Amino acid sequence: MNNNSEINSGSETVILGIAGAPGIVVGRLFVLRRDKIIIKREIIPQAEIESEIQKFRDAVNESVAEIAKIKRNISGKIDDEAAGILEAHVMSVNDVELHKEVESIIRKDRLNAEFAYNGLISKVIASLEASDSDYLRQRVFDIKGIRSRVLSNLRGMKQQSPIDVEVPSIIAAKSLSAGEVAQMAGSKVLGLITAAGGATSHTALLAKSLNIPAVLGIEEKYSLLKDGMDLILDGNQGKIILSPTRVTNELYRDRRRKFKREHEQLLVARDEPALTLDGHRVELLANIELISEVDKALAVGAEGIGLYRSEFMYFTHGCLPSEEQQYRVYSAIVKKMAPNPVTIRTFDLGGDKFIDETSRPYEQNPFLGWRAIRISLALPEYFKSQLRAILKATVHGNVSIMIPMVCDLSEVKIALRIFRDVQEELSHQGIPFDALTKFGVMIEVPSAALSADVIASHVDFFSIGTNDLTQYTLAVDRGNEMLKDLFQSFHPAVLKLTSMTVDAAKRACIPVSVCGELAGDPLAAALLIGFGATSLSAPYASLPLIKNIIRKVNYEEAKHLSEQALKMESTSEVRNLLANFLTEIFEGMSSPI
């Protein structure tokens, strides 16, 4: 659920949507015009049926050729994952079974191609829209884009596209297909806005890959956008300011200048270690979803990848990737980051991210249902295929494997047994891999945190996922806008479970990372160090600031701070304690909060 709303302030209007891709741009709006395609039911004379079928085939072939042309034109401007999204787009246009049904309807019912095609693909769209999987709902926009392209070609119509922008502009459209976003590579598009779409949509993934700031899902507020109007797009916060006042414009320009200046100052220590004043070392790692983010992480001084969300390959490919496809992606990331470490999390599908291949049964509460390690253990061939791909990539660098959402030791033991089986299979086949590859688990469920001592003796490392740990500890759906004030990662109960997990790792002499949003929160940096986290894994953009805080903190003081925090009775008390601590260490300087 997005937190779409409208705020009026004098002559300007603020719209809140979904943060699709980071960055702030100020510019003029170009609203893509979409001519409405009216589909009428027509009966085709018997003698014209074959020519009608040929007309449909020609329209499909033309659509495929158009996307192929886009791929050629942007070759070298996008990474392999972005190209994979376009390839999945081509596969969707070339849906053989759907085309057979369309041709069957034309022959059997003598219906015109537009009506037959639109009727069938609209059923596919309705099915996806009715899904309780956010991932499947996001694919609706791709299918609608395909429908529009094929129908336009059937009618001989030309719709406006991003390449029609002649001056630097911010693009707005009700929805954008993968092909349309890909066309923005190297174009005059400064940023993009859509009425539909979410954080896991192909629009968001491609915009992020292309470094184009984006705000998505503004829904009914889209009607407020007018061609040629001036606006500010803040992709960091998911905010759009329409017709900003001179004061607001200056404020944002100052904010951009200040951010750039402070970012440059922070990057002075890019190659310096995250070392406290009294010499305690903390490893700073990045969370990534795309290959293109590796270079961005290295540019800000990341010492490795603490969390690669492998399920995003499914989002980019549109289907579960093959072992070879996975191997190529893992290898590319590992080679780019070598010799620094890369931790690959196995597919965390389920919840709001699901795969068609599993024929998932209906679940009233998917976040508490069949997801993550539960799917992997229920479908061992998928799990083995992924483990094989990761292990084969270990020859290119320093790789660790991490299992999400374990609940107890029995799951860990079964996953470990499968892991050992795959290692043995690769050895027998003579396929090289690193036999010392580390195997760890995410602690993000209260039962796992309470069993951390037992689990620790069976794995090589822990990574604490504070997002889900907060959700499951407080029984708060983090995607539910009505409950957003109850989602509190600084809640004393969450902190106690985090501290317990770190202590269990210490006793087992294994490293422990924190990789949830808390790891990138300046307020939490000293607290997590004080607990004893050996590394923090956060969005790469937050790493310079987190390092700056660590280098101003005394480790012994951080430990004392964490002890105090565990005695607090409420979230507000914890936050006040941490805010006061940061204010003190940044006395006389600009505080990061």
Side-chain angles (χ1 to χ4, degrees):
M1 181 182 297
N2 79 56
N3 93 13
N4 178 230
S5 61
E6 175 189 347
I7 303 167
N8 289 302
S9 179
S11 61
E12 64 185 33
T13 301
V14 178
I15 297 174
L16 301 179
I18 296 168
I24 298 173
V25 289
V26 179
R28 188 149 291 182
L29 189 65
F30 181 95
V31 179
L32 283 181
R33 187 184 70 253
R34 306 294 198 190
D35 294 328
K36 191 171 183 180
I37 303 173
I38 299 172
I39 306 297
K40 293 183 179 179
R41 184 178 186 275
E42 298 176 13
I43 300 298
I44 304 298
Q46 189 70 38
E48 297 178 12
I49 286 178
E50 292 306 317
S51 62
E52 188 73 9
I53 289 174
Q54 189 58 50
K55 184 177 82 168
F56 171 67
R57 291 174 179 172
D58 289 344
V60 170
N61 291 336
E62 187 176 354
S63 300
V64 171
E66 287 171 350
I67 299 173
K69 183 179 178 181
I70 292 170
K71 284 184 66 178
R72 288 194 302 273
N73 290 343
I74 62 176
S75 177
K77 298 176 184 177
I78 60 174
D79 57 35
D80 290 343
E81 285 163 316
I85 292 176
L86 282 184
E87 192 58 46
H89 214 53
V90 171
M91 291 171 62
S92 297
V93 176
N94 258 332
D95 188 332
V96 175
E97 293 305 315
L98 180 70
H99 297 171
K100 285 181 180 177
E101 287 187 62
V102 172
E103 293 183 15
S104 175
I105 290 172
I106 296 172
R107 282 197 177 94
K108 181 182 176 182
D109 300 330
R110 293 170 49 198
L111 291 175
N112 55 316
E114 295 98 315
F115 190 84
Y117 175 73
N118 185 61
L120 285 174
I121 201 164
S122 294
K123 288 180 182 178
V124 174
I125 290 170
S127 175
L128 293 176
E129 287 177 330
S131 171
D132 60 354
S133 163
D134 180 63
Y135 169 73
L136 292 180
R137 290 195 302 272
Q138 295 303 323
R139 298 293 75 78
V140 165
F141 311 118
D142 295 329
I143 304 300
K144 284 183 176 180
I146 290 167
R147 176 177 65 179
S148 177
R149 186 178 293 276
V150 173
L151 289 174
S152 294
N153 286 329
L154 275 168
R155 288 289 182 85
M157 298 168 59
K158 185 185 183 303
Q159 300 282 17
Q160 270 191 331
S161 77
I163 59 174
D164 295 323
V165 176
E166 297 177 351
V167 296
S169 305
I170 297 169
I171 289 282
K174 289 190 176 179
S175 65
L176 289 164
S177 70
E180 288 173 319
V181 181
Q183 283 181 301
M184 297 179 188
S187 73
K188 294 180 180 179
V189 175
L190 301 175
L192 64 91
I193 302 167
T194 61
T200 61
S201 67
H202 282 164
T203 300
L205 294 175
L206 280 166
K208 189 182 293 184
S209 178
L210 296 172
N211 291 318
I212 298 174
V215 174
L216 314 177
I218 65 170
E219 299 174 345
E220 68 274 9
K221 302 305 175 187
Y222 182 80
S223 61
L224 298 175
L225 304 183
K226 306 299 178 187
D227 196 57
M229 74 189 319
D230 293 322
L231 60 83
I232 296 169
L233 184 154
D234 184 344
N236 302 323
Q237 300 183 36
K239 181 189 294 184
I240 303 164
I241 304 176
L242 307 181
S243 303
T245 63
R246 184 177 58 81
V247 173
T248 301
N249 260 323
E250 282 304 312
L251 175 67
Y252 264 83
R253 287 195 172 95
D254 286 345
R255 187 176 295 176
R256 289 174 68 191
R257 286 193 290 265
K258 181 182 177 184
F259 174 80
K260 184 179 180 182
R261 185 172 63 250
E262 290 180 348
H263 187 67
E264 288 172 350
Q265 291 171 350
L266 291 172
L267 286 182
V268 170
R270 182 186 68 180
D271 299 322
E272 298 296 323
L275 205 64
T276 63
L277 293 173
D278 48 352
H280 180 74
R281 182 80 160 83
V282 181
E283 194 176 33
L284 287 186
L285 309 169
N287 299 339
I288 67 165
E289 298 157 0
L290 304 168
I291 297 173
S292 58
E293 292 179 299
V294 175
D295 291 330
K296 297 169 187 174
L298 287 169
V300 296
E303 299 174 79
I305 302 302
L307 169 62
Y308 169 57
R309 298 181 173 97
S310 65
E311 62 273 9
F312 273 75
M313 271 190 291
Y314 177 65
F315 301 159
T316 58
H317 284 80
C319 60
L320 200 65
S322 68
E323 183 178 316
E324 180 58 27
Q325 288 172 321
Q326 291 183 61
Y327 167 72
R328 288 201 298 267
V329 172
Y330 302 146
S331 296
I333 292 171
V334 173
K335 287 176 182 177
K336 276 175 171 278
M337 187 51 71
N340 297 324
V342 174
T343 298
I344 299 172
R345 181 177 72 184
T346 57
F347 293 137
D348 186 8
L349 292 164
D352 60 350
K353 302 169 290 188
F354 225 88
I355 54 178
D356 297 334
E357 287 91 335
T358 56
S359 301
R360 171 201 181 191
Y362 171 75
E363 294 182 289
Q364 284 191 324
N365 195 334
F367 279 102
L368 294 178
W370 205 44
R371 63 169 291 200
I373 187 59
R374 295 169 181 172
I375 296 177
S376 295
L377 298 185
L379 303 169
E381 290 310 309
Y382 287 111
F383 190 35
K384 284 185 176 182
S385 177
Q386 182 172 29
L387 293 176
R388 283 174 60 89
I390 298 173
L391 283 169
K392 287 192 291 185
T394 61
V395 298
H396 301 298
N398 182 359
V399 183
S400 297
I401 293 175
M402 183 163 69
I403 309 299
M405 210 186 123
V406 298
C407 291
D408 58 32
L409 181 59
S410 64
E411 289 178 331
V412 176
K413 285 183 173 180
I414 297 170
L416 259 173
R417 186 172 68 245
I418 295 173
F419 175 64
R420 302 299 182 207
D421 288 345
V422 171
Q423 286 182 310
E424 191 173 331
E425 289 171 9
L426 291 176
S427 294
H428 286 162
Q429 293 167 3
I431 298 174
F433 68 94
D434 182 0
L436 300 179
T437 300
K438 292 181 174 60
F439 182 95
V441 297
M442 289 194 73
I443 303 295
E444 48 192 340
V445 177
S447 62
L450 293 168
S451 307
D453 267 316
V454 177
I455 296 172
S457 61
H458 293 265
V459 298
D460 297 312
F461 66 92
F462 280 162
S463 187
I464 303 172
T466 57
N467 299 346
D468 272 338
L469 186 60
T470 300
Q471 173 173 246
Y472 293 127
T473 300
L474 304 181
V476 173
D477 178 356
R478 57 182 166 139
N480 190 326
E481 183 64 20
M482 294 184 291
L483 304 177
K484 65 179 181 179
D485 292 336
L486 298 179
F487 187 84
Q488 301 169 348
S489 292
F490 289 103
H491 191 287
V494 177
L495 298 188
K496 284 183 173 66
L497 290 174
T498 301
S499 176
M500 286 173 57
T501 302
V502 174
D503 289 344
K506 287 180 189 173
R507 286 189 289 271
C509 298
I510 62 172
V512 57
S513 176
V514 179
C515 71
E517 288 180 16
L518 205 61
D521 190 328
L523 208 58
L527 173 71
L528 298 175
I529 294 167
F531 281 156
T534 53
S535 64
L536 301 180
S537 189
Y540 57 83
S542 65
L543 294 182
L545 177 56
I546 299 300
K547 180 185 284 187
N548 187 38
I549 293 171
I550 292 171
R551 290 172 62 85
K552 286 181 168 60
V553 169
N554 183 296
Y555 180 50
E556 292 303 319
E557 290 179 356
K559 287 199 289 187
H560 178 63
L561 176 73
S562 67
E563 291 168 0
Q564 287 181 290
L566 291 173
K567 295 176 184 176
M568 299 291 103
E569 297 180 352
S570 68
T571 301
S572 59
E573 288 179 356
V574 172
R575 295 185 70 91
N576 288 337
L577 172 72
L578 301 179
N580 290 336
F581 179 81
L582 268 193
T583 300
E584 287 178 19
I585 67 171
F586 278 88
E587 187 176 2
M589 296 178 282
S590 177
S591 173
I593 58 170

